[in-house]
Every structure is written in structure tokens, then in C-alpha cells.
Amino acid sequence: MQIGYSEVWLNELNDYAVRHLHNCADKMCELAWQFSSETNKLKIKALNQCARELLLAQSSDWNFIITNGTMVDYAKRRTKDHVGRFLKLYEQIKENKVDENFLNDISEKDALFPDIDFRIYS
């Protein structure tokens, strides 16, 4: 491993996550464009939670932890959980069937960035 080339955050131990993160980022941009004029409060809450889940999945901490071998299972689980939540919400939004109980549950678990606006991805 060479120092100074971001190997801590992207290497053979954690590179599997990159395709999922790029896929979710593309889907987030799609949602932001498709629903930029959305007025339904539940759907807006779900869209904002999608933005949160994407940011949480993209956290550099998870890849750093995996590379350094500390709490690897936890870091992998967090990445998987946030990507999974994002994709589940994405499908619910696209199908116009947002599960309010699921949304409330994950919104309470990860309530950071309370003023986030999903439209920043457009």
C-alpha cells in the first residue's frame, strides 16, 4: 500500500462497496430530478431519508475501519444497512407505496442532518 493515494479508503478489502455506492448515488440523482416538485409530505420525508442513508453509506469511516481491521463486521454491516435502507425506500418511492412505519423507524435511528433537502442531488 502506498501512502498518499487514498488506499485506506479504497483497496481490495473494501472496494466491493464502490459499485453499490455509485448505484445509490445515481438513483438519488434520479429521485431528485423526478420528484423535484413533490408536495406529498410523506414522500418528501422518504426522499430526505434516502439522502441521509446515502450520505451515511458513503461515510469514509466504514472503509477506514475495514482497512485498519478494527470492528470490521460492524463497518460492513453499517454499509450494508444504509445501502439496503436506501434501496428499499427507493423502490417504495418509485412504486408510490412508502411504508410509514419503516420510514419512521429508520428516521429515528439516523436523524442527522434534520434540514437536509433531497433536491440538492438535482
Side-chain angles (χ1 to χ4, degrees), residues 25-90:
D26 288 344
K27 288 180 181 307
M28 188 68 237
C29 292
E30 172 195 331
L31 290 173
W33 281 104
Q34 183 176 354
F35 296 100
S36 62
S37 300
E38 186 61 53
T39 58
N40 179 284
K41 290 183 182 192
L42 180 63
K43 195 174 280 186
I44 290 170
K45 182 178 178 177
L47 289 158
N48 286 335
Q49 189 62 34
C50 274
R52 280 187 201 92
E53 296 298 339
L54 176 58
L55 289 173
L56 286 163
Q58 291 173 327
S59 172
S60 68
D61 290 355
W62 311 137
N63 285 345
F64 183 85
I65 290 168
I66 292 167
T67 298
N68 287 316
T70 58
M71 300 175 56
V72 172
D73 290 340
Y74 173 75
K76 287 181 177 181
R77 190 187 78 221
R78 287 297 299 261
T79 301
K80 182 180 176 184
D81 287 351
H82 294 302
V83 167
R85 291 178 193 170
F86 175 90
L87 292 173
K88 185 172 181 174
L89 280 176
Y90 172 85

Short mmCIF file of all heavy atoms in Angstrom, two decimals, residues 25-90:
data_model
loop_
_atom_site.label_atom_id
_atom_site.label_comp_id
_atom_site.label_asym_id
_atom_site.label_seq_id
_atom_site.Cartn_x
_atom_site.Cartn_y
_atom_site.Cartn_z
N ALA A 25 -25.96 6.52 -5.55
CA ALA A 25 -25.79 7.94 -5.89
C ALA A 25 -26.53 8.27 -7.19
O ALA A 25 -27.21 9.30 -7.28
CB ALA A 25 -24.31 8.29 -6.00
N ASP A 26 -26.42 7.40 -8.17
CA ASP A 26 -27.15 7.61 -9.43
C ASP A 26 -28.65 7.60 -9.19
O ASP A 26 -29.39 8.43 -9.73
CB ASP A 26 -26.79 6.52 -10.45
CG ASP A 26 -25.38 6.67 -11.01
OD1 ASP A 26 -24.75 7.75 -10.85
OD2 ASP A 26 -24.88 5.68 -11.59
N LYS A 27 -29.11 6.66 -8.37
CA LYS A 27 -30.54 6.57 -8.07
C LYS A 27 -31.02 7.80 -7.29
O LYS A 27 -32.13 8.27 -7.49
CB LYS A 27 -30.85 5.29 -7.31
CG LYS A 27 -30.76 4.04 -8.16
CD LYS A 27 -31.08 2.80 -7.34
CE LYS A 27 -30.97 1.52 -8.13
NZ LYS A 27 -31.71 1.45 -9.35
N MET A 28 -30.17 8.33 -6.41
CA MET A 28 -30.55 9.52 -5.65
C MET A 28 -30.72 10.71 -6.58
O MET A 28 -31.67 11.48 -6.44
CB MET A 28 -29.49 9.81 -4.58
CG MET A 28 -29.88 10.91 -3.61
SD MET A 28 -31.25 10.45 -2.54
CE MET A 28 -32.44 11.74 -2.90
N CYS A 29 -29.82 10.85 -7.53
CA CYS A 29 -29.95 11.94 -8.52
C CYS A 29 -31.23 11.77 -9.34
O CYS A 29 -31.95 12.75 -9.60
CB CYS A 29 -28.73 11.98 -9.43
SG CYS A 29 -27.22 12.50 -8.60
N GLU A 30 -31.53 10.54 -9.70
CA GLU A 30 -32.76 10.24 -10.44
C GLU A 30 -33.99 10.68 -9.64
O GLU A 30 -34.89 11.34 -10.15
CB GLU A 30 -32.82 8.74 -10.74
CG GLU A 30 -34.12 8.26 -11.33
CD GLU A 30 -34.28 6.74 -11.26
OE1 GLU A 30 -33.25 6.03 -11.29
OE2 GLU A 30 -35.42 6.29 -11.15
N LEU A 31 -34.02 10.29 -8.36
CA LEU A 31 -35.14 10.67 -7.49
C LEU A 31 -35.26 12.19 -7.37
O LEU A 31 -36.36 12.74 -7.43
CB LEU A 31 -34.97 10.07 -6.09
CG LEU A 31 -35.12 8.56 -5.96
CD1 LEU A 31 -34.75 8.12 -4.54
CD2 LEU A 31 -36.52 8.10 -6.31
N ALA A 32 -34.13 12.85 -7.19
CA ALA A 32 -34.15 14.30 -7.01
C ALA A 32 -34.72 15.00 -8.24
O ALA A 32 -35.50 15.96 -8.10
CB ALA A 32 -32.75 14.81 -6.71
N TRP A 33 -34.37 14.53 -9.41
CA TRP A 33 -34.91 15.12 -10.63
C TRP A 33 -36.38 14.76 -10.82
O TRP A 33 -37.19 15.62 -11.13
CB TRP A 33 -34.10 14.66 -11.85
CG TRP A 33 -32.83 15.40 -12.01
CD1 TRP A 33 -31.58 14.94 -11.72
CD2 TRP A 33 -32.66 16.74 -12.45
NE1 TRP A 33 -30.65 15.91 -11.96
CE2 TRP A 33 -31.29 17.04 -12.42
CE3 TRP A 33 -33.53 17.73 -12.88
CZ2 TRP A 33 -30.77 18.27 -12.79
CZ3 TRP A 33 -33.02 18.97 -13.26
CH2 TRP A 33 -31.66 19.22 -13.21
N GLN A 34 -36.70 13.50 -10.60
CA GLN A 34 -38.07 13.04 -10.84
C GLN A 34 -39.07 13.68 -9.88
O GLN A 34 -40.21 13.96 -10.26
CB GLN A 34 -38.15 11.52 -10.74
CG GLN A 34 -39.52 10.98 -11.05
CD GLN A 34 -39.56 9.46 -11.04
OE1 GLN A 34 -38.54 8.79 -10.91
NE2 GLN A 34 -40.75 8.92 -11.19
N PHE A 35 -38.65 13.91 -8.63
CA PHE A 35 -39.59 14.38 -7.62
C PHE A 35 -39.26 15.80 -7.14
O PHE A 35 -39.64 16.19 -6.04
CB PHE A 35 -39.61 13.41 -6.44
CG PHE A 35 -40.14 12.05 -6.81
CD1 PHE A 35 -39.26 10.99 -7.05
CD2 PHE A 35 -41.49 11.83 -6.97
CE1 PHE A 35 -39.73 9.74 -7.42
CE2 PHE A 35 -41.98 10.58 -7.33
CZ PHE A 35 -41.10 9.54 -7.56
N SER A 36 -38.61 16.58 -7.97
CA SER A 36 -38.19 17.92 -7.55
C SER A 36 -39.36 18.83 -7.17
O SER A 36 -39.20 19.75 -6.37
CB SER A 36 -37.34 18.59 -8.65
OG SER A 36 -38.11 18.75 -9.82
N SER A 37 -40.53 18.56 -7.71
CA SER A 37 -41.72 19.38 -7.40
C SER A 37 -42.68 18.67 -6.45
O SER A 37 -43.84 19.09 -6.31
CB SER A 37 -42.46 19.72 -8.70
OG SER A 37 -41.61 20.45 -9.56
N GLU A 38 -42.21 17.63 -5.80
CA GLU A 38 -43.07 16.83 -4.92
C GLU A 38 -43.64 17.68 -3.79
O GLU A 38 -42.95 18.52 -3.21
CB GLU A 38 -42.27 15.67 -4.33
CG GLU A 38 -43.09 14.70 -3.51
CD GLU A 38 -44.19 14.03 -4.33
OE1 GLU A 38 -43.91 13.47 -5.39
OE2 GLU A 38 -45.35 14.07 -3.88
N THR A 39 -44.92 17.44 -3.47
CA THR A 39 -45.57 18.17 -2.38
C THR A 39 -46.07 17.25 -1.27
O THR A 39 -46.40 17.72 -0.18
CB THR A 39 -46.76 19.01 -2.90
OG1 THR A 39 -47.69 18.14 -3.55
CG2 THR A 39 -46.28 20.09 -3.86
N ASN A 40 -46.14 15.94 -1.54
CA ASN A 40 -46.62 14.99 -0.54
C ASN A 40 -45.59 14.89 0.59
O ASN A 40 -44.43 14.54 0.37
CB ASN A 40 -46.82 13.62 -1.21
CG ASN A 40 -47.28 12.57 -0.23
OD1 ASN A 40 -46.49 12.07 0.56
ND2 ASN A 40 -48.57 12.24 -0.29
N LYS A 41 -46.04 15.20 1.81
CA LYS A 41 -45.12 15.27 2.96
C LYS A 41 -44.46 13.93 3.28
O LYS A 41 -43.29 13.88 3.63
CB LYS A 41 -45.84 15.82 4.19
CG LYS A 41 -46.16 17.29 4.05
CD LYS A 41 -46.80 17.85 5.29
CE LYS A 41 -47.12 19.31 5.03
NZ LYS A 41 -47.47 20.03 6.22
N LEU A 42 -45.20 12.85 3.18
CA LEU A 42 -44.63 11.53 3.46
C LEU A 42 -43.55 11.19 2.43
O LEU A 42 -42.47 10.71 2.79
CB LEU A 42 -45.72 10.46 3.48
CG LEU A 42 -45.23 9.04 3.76
CD1 LEU A 42 -44.62 8.94 5.16
CD2 LEU A 42 -46.38 8.05 3.61
N LYS A 43 -43.84 11.46 1.18
CA LYS A 43 -42.86 11.16 0.13
C LYS A 43 -41.62 12.05 0.29
O LYS A 43 -40.49 11.58 0.12
CB LYS A 43 -43.48 11.33 -1.25
CG LYS A 43 -42.63 10.67 -2.33
CD LYS A 43 -43.30 10.71 -3.69
CE LYS A 43 -44.34 9.62 -3.79
NZ LYS A 43 -44.93 9.52 -5.13
N ILE A 44 -41.81 13.30 0.64
CA ILE A 44 -40.67 14.20 0.86
C ILE A 44 -39.82 13.69 2.03
O ILE A 44 -38.59 13.69 1.96
CB ILE A 44 -41.14 15.65 1.10
CG1 ILE A 44 -41.70 16.23 -0.20
CG2 ILE A 44 -40.00 16.52 1.64
CD1 ILE A 44 -42.41 17.56 -0.04
N LYS A 45 -40.48 13.23 3.08
CA LYS A 45 -39.74 12.67 4.22
C LYS A 45 -38.93 11.45 3.77
O LYS A 45 -37.77 11.29 4.17
CB LYS A 45 -40.72 12.29 5.34
CG LYS A 45 -40.04 11.74 6.57
CD LYS A 45 -41.03 11.43 7.68
CE LYS A 45 -40.31 10.84 8.89
NZ LYS A 45 -41.23 10.58 10.01
N ALA A 46 -39.52 10.61 2.94
CA ALA A 46 -38.83 9.42 2.44
C ALA A 46 -37.66 9.83 1.54
O ALA A 46 -36.57 9.24 1.63
CB ALA A 46 -39.79 8.52 1.69
N LEU A 47 -37.85 10.81 0.70
CA LEU A 47 -36.78 11.29 -0.18
C LEU A 47 -35.63 11.87 0.64
O LEU A 47 -34.46 11.61 0.34
CB LEU A 47 -37.34 12.32 -1.16
CG LEU A 47 -38.26 11.75 -2.24
CD1 LEU A 47 -39.16 12.82 -2.81
CD2 LEU A 47 -37.43 11.08 -3.33
N ASN A 48 -35.96 12.63 1.67
CA ASN A 48 -34.91 13.18 2.53
C ASN A 48 -34.17 12.08 3.28
O ASN A 48 -32.96 12.15 3.46
CB ASN A 48 -35.49 14.20 3.50
CG ASN A 48 -35.85 15.51 2.82
OD1 ASN A 48 -35.30 15.85 1.78
ND2 ASN A 48 -36.79 16.23 3.40
N GLN A 49 -34.90 11.04 3.68
CA GLN A 49 -34.24 9.93 4.36
C GLN A 49 -33.34 9.16 3.38
O GLN A 49 -32.27 8.69 3.77
CB GLN A 49 -35.26 8.99 5.00
CG GLN A 49 -34.64 7.94 5.91
CD GLN A 49 -33.90 8.54 7.10
OE1 GLN A 49 -34.30 9.58 7.63
NE2 GLN A 49 -32.82 7.90 7.52
N CYS A 50 -33.74 9.07 2.14
CA CYS A 50 -32.86 8.47 1.13
C CYS A 50 -31.54 9.24 1.07
O CYS A 50 -30.47 8.62 1.01
CB CYS A 50 -33.52 8.50 -0.25
SG CYS A 50 -34.59 7.12 -0.61
N ALA A 51 -31.62 10.54 1.07
CA ALA A 51 -30.40 11.35 1.04
C ALA A 51 -29.53 11.07 2.27
O ALA A 51 -28.31 10.93 2.15
CB ALA A 51 -30.75 12.83 0.95
N ARG A 52 -30.16 10.96 3.44
CA ARG A 52 -29.41 10.63 4.66
C ARG A 52 -28.75 9.26 4.56
O ARG A 52 -27.59 9.10 4.91
CB ARG A 52 -30.35 10.62 5.87
CG ARG A 52 -30.66 11.95 6.42
CD ARG A 52 -31.46 11.83 7.73
NE ARG A 52 -32.13 13.10 7.91
CZ ARG A 52 -33.35 13.38 7.49
NH1 ARG A 52 -34.09 12.47 6.91
NH2 ARG A 52 -33.86 14.58 7.68
N GLU A 53 -29.50 8.28 4.11
CA GLU A 53 -28.97 6.92 4.01
C GLU A 53 -27.79 6.87 3.04
O GLU A 53 -26.79 6.20 3.31
CB GLU A 53 -30.05 5.93 3.59
CG GLU A 53 -31.19 5.76 4.57
CD GLU A 53 -30.79 5.22 5.93
OE1 GLU A 53 -29.73 4.59 6.07
OE2 GLU A 53 -31.57 5.41 6.88
N LEU A 54 -27.88 7.61 1.95
CA LEU A 54 -26.77 7.65 1.01
C LEU A 54 -25.54 8.26 1.67
O LEU A 54 -24.44 7.70 1.58
CB LEU A 54 -27.15 8.44 -0.24
CG LEU A 54 -26.03 8.63 -1.26
CD1 LEU A 54 -25.48 7.29 -1.74
CD2 LEU A 54 -26.52 9.46 -2.43
N LEU A 55 -25.70 9.39 2.33
CA LEU A 55 -24.55 10.02 3.00
C LEU A 55 -23.96 9.10 4.06
O LEU A 55 -22.73 9.01 4.18
CB LEU A 55 -24.97 11.36 3.61
CG LEU A 55 -25.26 12.47 2.61
CD1 LEU A 55 -25.84 13.69 3.33
CD2 LEU A 55 -24.02 12.84 1.82
N LEU A 56 -24.81 8.43 4.80
CA LEU A 56 -24.31 7.50 5.83
C LEU A 56 -23.58 6.32 5.20
O LEU A 56 -22.55 5.88 5.72
CB LEU A 56 -25.46 7.03 6.71
CG LEU A 56 -25.97 8.08 7.69
CD1 LEU A 56 -27.35 7.69 8.22
CD2 LEU A 56 -24.99 8.28 8.83
N ALA A 57 -24.09 5.81 4.11
CA ALA A 57 -23.42 4.70 3.43
C ALA A 57 -22.07 5.14 2.87
O ALA A 57 -21.11 4.36 2.86
CB ALA A 57 -24.31 4.16 2.30
N GLN A 58 -21.99 6.37 2.42
CA GLN A 58 -20.76 6.89 1.82
C GLN A 58 -19.72 7.32 2.85
O GLN A 58 -18.62 7.68 2.46
CB GLN A 58 -21.09 8.09 0.92
CG GLN A 58 -21.86 7.74 -0.32
CD GLN A 58 -22.31 8.97 -1.08
OE1 GLN A 58 -22.60 10.02 -0.50
NE2 GLN A 58 -22.38 8.85 -2.39
N SER A 59 -20.06 7.26 4.11
CA SER A 59 -19.13 7.71 5.15
C SER A 59 -17.78 7.01 4.98
O SER A 59 -17.70 5.79 4.89
CB SER A 59 -19.69 7.40 6.53
OG SER A 59 -18.71 7.65 7.52
N SER A 60 -16.73 7.79 4.98
CA SER A 60 -15.39 7.21 4.82
C SER A 60 -14.97 6.39 6.03
O SER A 60 -14.04 5.59 5.94
CB SER A 60 -14.36 8.31 4.56
OG SER A 60 -14.18 9.12 5.70
N ASP A 61 -15.64 6.58 7.13
CA ASP A 61 -15.29 5.82 8.33
C ASP A 61 -15.39 4.32 8.11
O ASP A 61 -14.55 3.56 8.61
CB ASP A 61 -16.21 6.19 9.50
CG ASP A 61 -15.97 7.59 10.02
OD1 ASP A 61 -15.03 8.25 9.54
OD2 ASP A 61 -16.73 8.03 10.90
N TRP A 62 -16.41 3.87 7.40
CA TRP A 62 -16.62 2.43 7.24
C TRP A 62 -15.44 1.80 6.52
O TRP A 62 -14.91 0.78 6.96
CB TRP A 62 -17.94 2.14 6.52
CG TRP A 62 -19.12 2.87 7.06
CD1 TRP A 62 -20.10 3.49 6.33
CD2 TRP A 62 -19.46 3.10 8.43
NE1 TRP A 62 -21.01 4.09 7.17
CE2 TRP A 62 -20.64 3.88 8.46
CE3 TRP A 62 -18.88 2.77 9.66
CZ2 TRP A 62 -21.26 4.29 9.64
CZ3 TRP A 62 -19.48 3.19 10.84
CH2 TRP A 62 -20.66 3.92 10.82
N ASN A 63 -15.03 2.38 5.41
CA ASN A 63 -13.89 1.82 4.67
C ASN A 63 -12.59 1.93 5.46
O ASN A 63 -11.75 1.04 5.41
CB ASN A 63 -13.76 2.48 3.30
CG ASN A 63 -14.82 2.00 2.34
OD1 ASN A 63 -15.48 1.00 2.58
ND2 ASN A 63 -14.99 2.71 1.26
N PHE A 64 -12.43 3.01 6.18
CA PHE A 64 -11.25 3.20 7.02
C PHE A 64 -11.18 2.10 8.08
O PHE A 64 -10.14 1.49 8.30
CB PHE A 64 -11.31 4.58 7.68
CG PHE A 64 -10.12 4.93 8.51
CD1 PHE A 64 -8.98 5.47 7.94
CD2 PHE A 64 -10.13 4.70 9.89
CE1 PHE A 64 -7.88 5.80 8.71
CE2 PHE A 64 -9.04 5.02 10.66
CZ PHE A 64 -7.91 5.57 10.08
N ILE A 65 -12.30 1.84 8.73
CA ILE A 65 -12.38 0.80 9.77
C ILE A 65 -12.06 -0.57 9.17
O ILE A 65 -11.32 -1.36 9.76
CB ILE A 65 -13.76 0.81 10.45
CG1 ILE A 65 -13.92 2.07 11.31
CG2 ILE A 65 -13.97 -0.45 11.28
CD1 ILE A 65 -15.35 2.30 11.79
N ILE A 66 -12.62 -0.86 8.02
CA ILE A 66 -12.38 -2.16 7.37
C ILE A 66 -10.90 -2.33 7.06
O ILE A 66 -10.31 -3.37 7.34
CB ILE A 66 -13.24 -2.30 6.10
CG1 ILE A 66 -14.73 -2.40 6.49
CG2 ILE A 66 -12.82 -3.51 5.28
CD1 ILE A 66 -15.69 -2.22 5.33
N THR A 67 -10.29 -1.30 6.50
CA THR A 67 -8.87 -1.37 6.15
C THR A 67 -7.99 -1.59 7.38
O THR A 67 -7.05 -2.37 7.35
CB THR A 67 -8.42 -0.08 5.42
OG1 THR A 67 -9.16 0.02 4.21
CG2 THR A 67 -6.94 -0.11 5.10
N ASN A 68 -8.32 -0.90 8.47
CA ASN A 68 -7.50 -0.99 9.67
C ASN A 68 -7.81 -2.21 10.52
O ASN A 68 -7.13 -2.47 11.51
CB ASN A 68 -7.62 0.29 10.50
CG ASN A 68 -6.87 1.41 9.84
OD1 ASN A 68 -5.76 1.25 9.37
ND2 ASN A 68 -7.50 2.58 9.78
N GLY A 69 -8.84 -2.96 10.14
CA GLY A 69 -9.14 -4.22 10.82
C GLY A 69 -9.75 -4.07 12.20
O GLY A 69 -9.70 -5.00 13.00
N THR A 70 -10.34 -2.92 12.47
CA THR A 70 -10.99 -2.73 13.76
C THR A 70 -12.50 -2.71 13.55
O THR A 70 -13.01 -1.97 12.72
CB THR A 70 -10.57 -1.38 14.41
OG1 THR A 70 -10.89 -0.32 13.50
CG2 THR A 70 -9.09 -1.36 14.71
N MET A 71 -13.21 -3.55 14.25
CA MET A 71 -14.67 -3.61 14.16
C MET A 71 -15.14 -3.78 12.71
O MET A 71 -16.07 -3.11 12.26
CB MET A 71 -15.29 -2.38 14.81
CG MET A 71 -14.95 -2.25 16.28
SD MET A 71 -15.54 -0.74 17.07
CE MET A 71 -17.27 -0.81 16.76
N VAL A 72 -14.49 -4.67 11.99
CA VAL A 72 -14.76 -4.86 10.57
C VAL A 72 -16.21 -5.27 10.32
O VAL A 72 -16.88 -4.72 9.43
CB VAL A 72 -13.79 -5.89 9.97
CG1 VAL A 72 -14.17 -6.25 8.54
CG2 VAL A 72 -12.36 -5.37 10.04
N ASP A 73 -16.71 -6.20 11.09
CA ASP A 73 -18.10 -6.66 10.89
C ASP A 73 -19.09 -5.52 11.08
O ASP A 73 -20.05 -5.41 10.33
CB ASP A 73 -18.43 -7.81 11.85
CG ASP A 73 -17.69 -9.09 11.51
OD1 ASP A 73 -17.23 -9.22 10.36
OD2 ASP A 73 -17.55 -9.94 12.40
N TYR A 74 -18.83 -4.67 12.07
CA TYR A 74 -19.70 -3.51 12.32
C TYR A 74 -19.68 -2.58 11.11
O TYR A 74 -20.74 -2.14 10.64
CB TYR A 74 -19.24 -2.78 13.58
CG TYR A 74 -19.97 -1.49 13.83
CD1 TYR A 74 -21.27 -1.49 14.31
CD2 TYR A 74 -19.37 -0.26 13.58
CE1 TYR A 74 -21.96 -0.31 14.54
CE2 TYR A 74 -20.04 0.93 13.80
CZ TYR A 74 -21.33 0.90 14.28
OH TYR A 74 -21.99 2.08 14.49
N ALA A 75 -18.50 -2.26 10.62
CA ALA A 75 -18.39 -1.34 9.48
C ALA A 75 -19.06 -1.90 8.24
O ALA A 75 -19.75 -1.19 7.51
CB ALA A 75 -16.92 -1.02 9.21
N LYS A 76 -18.86 -3.18 7.98
CA LYS A 76 -19.50 -3.82 6.83
C LYS A 76 -21.02 -3.80 6.98
O LYS A 76 -21.75 -3.56 6.02
CB LYS A 76 -19.00 -5.25 6.66
CG LYS A 76 -17.60 -5.34 6.12
CD LYS A 76 -17.17 -6.79 5.97
CE LYS A 76 -15.79 -6.90 5.35
NZ LYS A 76 -15.37 -8.30 5.18
N ARG A 77 -21.48 -4.08 8.21
CA ARG A 77 -22.92 -4.08 8.46
C ARG A 77 -23.52 -2.70 8.26
O ARG A 77 -24.60 -2.56 7.67
CB ARG A 77 -23.23 -4.60 9.86
CG ARG A 77 -24.74 -4.83 10.05
CD ARG A 77 -25.09 -5.18 11.46
NE ARG A 77 -25.07 -3.91 12.17
CZ ARG A 77 -24.59 -3.70 13.39
NH1 ARG A 77 -24.11 -4.65 14.08
NH2 ARG A 77 -24.60 -2.53 13.94
N ARG A 78 -22.83 -1.67 8.72
CA ARG A 78 -23.35 -0.31 8.56
C ARG A 78 -23.48 0.05 7.08
O ARG A 78 -24.49 0.60 6.65
CB ARG A 78 -22.46 0.71 9.28
CG ARG A 78 -22.57 0.69 10.80
CD ARG A 78 -23.95 1.05 11.33
NE ARG A 78 -24.39 2.39 10.96
CZ ARG A 78 -24.32 3.46 11.74
NH1 ARG A 78 -23.80 3.38 12.95
NH2 ARG A 78 -24.77 4.62 11.31
N THR A 79 -22.47 -0.27 6.30
CA THR A 79 -22.54 0.00 4.86
C THR A 79 -23.72 -0.75 4.25
O THR A 79 -24.53 -0.17 3.54
CB THR A 79 -21.22 -0.41 4.16
OG1 THR A 79 -20.14 0.31 4.74
CG2 THR A 79 -21.29 -0.14 2.67
N LYS A 80 -23.82 -2.03 4.56
CA LYS A 80 -24.90 -2.86 4.02
C LYS A 80 -26.27 -2.35 4.47
O LYS A 80 -27.20 -2.28 3.66
CB LYS A 80 -24.70 -4.30 4.47
CG LYS A 80 -25.72 -5.26 3.94
CD LYS A 80 -25.47 -6.68 4.43
CE LYS A 80 -26.56 -7.61 3.97
NZ LYS A 80 -26.38 -8.96 4.50
N ASP A 81 -26.39 -1.98 5.74
CA ASP A 81 -27.67 -1.49 6.26
C ASP A 81 -28.12 -0.22 5.55
O ASP A 81 -29.28 -0.08 5.16
CB ASP A 81 -27.60 -1.25 7.76
CG ASP A 81 -27.58 -2.52 8.58
OD1 ASP A 81 -27.79 -3.62 8.02
OD2 ASP A 81 -27.34 -2.42 9.80
N HIS A 82 -27.20 0.73 5.40
CA HIS A 82 -27.58 2.01 4.79
C HIS A 82 -27.90 1.85 3.31
O HIS A 82 -28.86 2.44 2.82
CB HIS A 82 -26.50 3.06 5.02
CG HIS A 82 -26.35 3.44 6.46
ND1 HIS A 82 -27.40 3.95 7.22
CD2 HIS A 82 -25.30 3.34 7.30
CE1 HIS A 82 -26.99 4.16 8.45
NE2 HIS A 82 -25.71 3.80 8.52
N VAL A 83 -27.13 1.04 2.61
CA VAL A 83 -27.44 0.77 1.20
C VAL A 83 -28.78 0.05 1.10
O VAL A 83 -29.63 0.41 0.27
CB VAL A 83 -26.31 -0.05 0.52
CG1 VAL A 83 -26.75 -0.59 -0.83
CG2 VAL A 83 -25.05 0.80 0.37
N GLY A 84 -29.01 -0.92 1.96
CA GLY A 84 -30.28 -1.65 1.94
C GLY A 84 -31.48 -0.76 2.24
O GLY A 84 -32.52 -0.86 1.57
N ARG A 85 -31.34 0.10 3.23
CA ARG A 85 -32.43 1.03 3.56
C ARG A 85 -32.70 1.97 2.38
O ARG A 85 -33.85 2.24 2.05
CB ARG A 85 -32.08 1.85 4.79
CG ARG A 85 -32.03 1.08 6.07
CD ARG A 85 -31.63 2.02 7.17
NE ARG A 85 -31.26 1.33 8.38
CZ ARG A 85 -30.69 1.93 9.41
NH1 ARG A 85 -30.43 3.22 9.38
NH2 ARG A 85 -30.39 1.24 10.49
N PHE A 86 -31.61 2.47 1.81
CA PHE A 86 -31.77 3.37 0.66
C PHE A 86 -32.54 2.68 -0.45
O PHE A 86 -33.50 3.23 -0.99
CB PHE A 86 -30.40 3.83 0.14
CG PHE A 86 -30.52 4.65 -1.11
CD1 PHE A 86 -30.66 6.02 -1.04
CD2 PHE A 86 -30.54 4.04 -2.36
CE1 PHE A 86 -30.83 6.78 -2.20
CE2 PHE A 86 -30.70 4.78 -3.52
CZ PHE A 86 -30.84 6.16 -3.44
N LEU A 87 -32.11 1.48 -0.81
CA LEU A 87 -32.75 0.77 -1.93
C LEU A 87 -34.20 0.42 -1.63
O LEU A 87 -35.06 0.49 -2.53
CB LEU A 87 -31.95 -0.48 -2.28
CG LEU A 87 -30.56 -0.22 -2.87
CD1 LEU A 87 -29.79 -1.52 -3.01
CD2 LEU A 87 -30.66 0.51 -4.21
N LYS A 88 -34.49 0.08 -0.39
CA LYS A 88 -35.88 -0.22 -0.02
C LYS A 88 -36.75 1.03 -0.15
O LYS A 88 -37.84 0.98 -0.73
CB LYS A 88 -35.93 -0.77 1.41
CG LYS A 88 -37.32 -1.22 1.83
CD LYS A 88 -37.28 -1.92 3.17
CE LYS A 88 -38.67 -2.39 3.58
NZ LYS A 88 -38.64 -3.19 4.81
N LEU A 89 -36.26 2.15 0.35
CA LEU A 89 -37.01 3.40 0.21
C LEU A 89 -37.14 3.81 -1.26
O LEU A 89 -38.20 4.28 -1.67
CB LEU A 89 -36.32 4.53 0.99
CG LEU A 89 -36.57 4.59 2.48
CD1 LEU A 89 -35.74 5.71 3.10
CD2 LEU A 89 -38.05 4.80 2.78
N TYR A 90 -36.08 3.64 -2.01
CA TYR A 90 -36.11 3.97 -3.44
C TYR A 90 -37.27 3.23 -4.12
O TYR A 90 -38.06 3.84 -4.85
CB TYR A 90 -34.77 3.60 -4.08
CG TYR A 90 -34.77 3.72 -5.59
CD1 TYR A 90 -34.51 4.93 -6.21
CD2 TYR A 90 -35.02 2.60 -6.39
CE1 TYR A 90 -34.50 5.03 -7.58
CE2 TYR A 90 -35.02 2.69 -7.76
CZ TYR A 90 -34.76 3.91 -8.37
OH TYR A 90 -34.77 4.01 -9.74
#
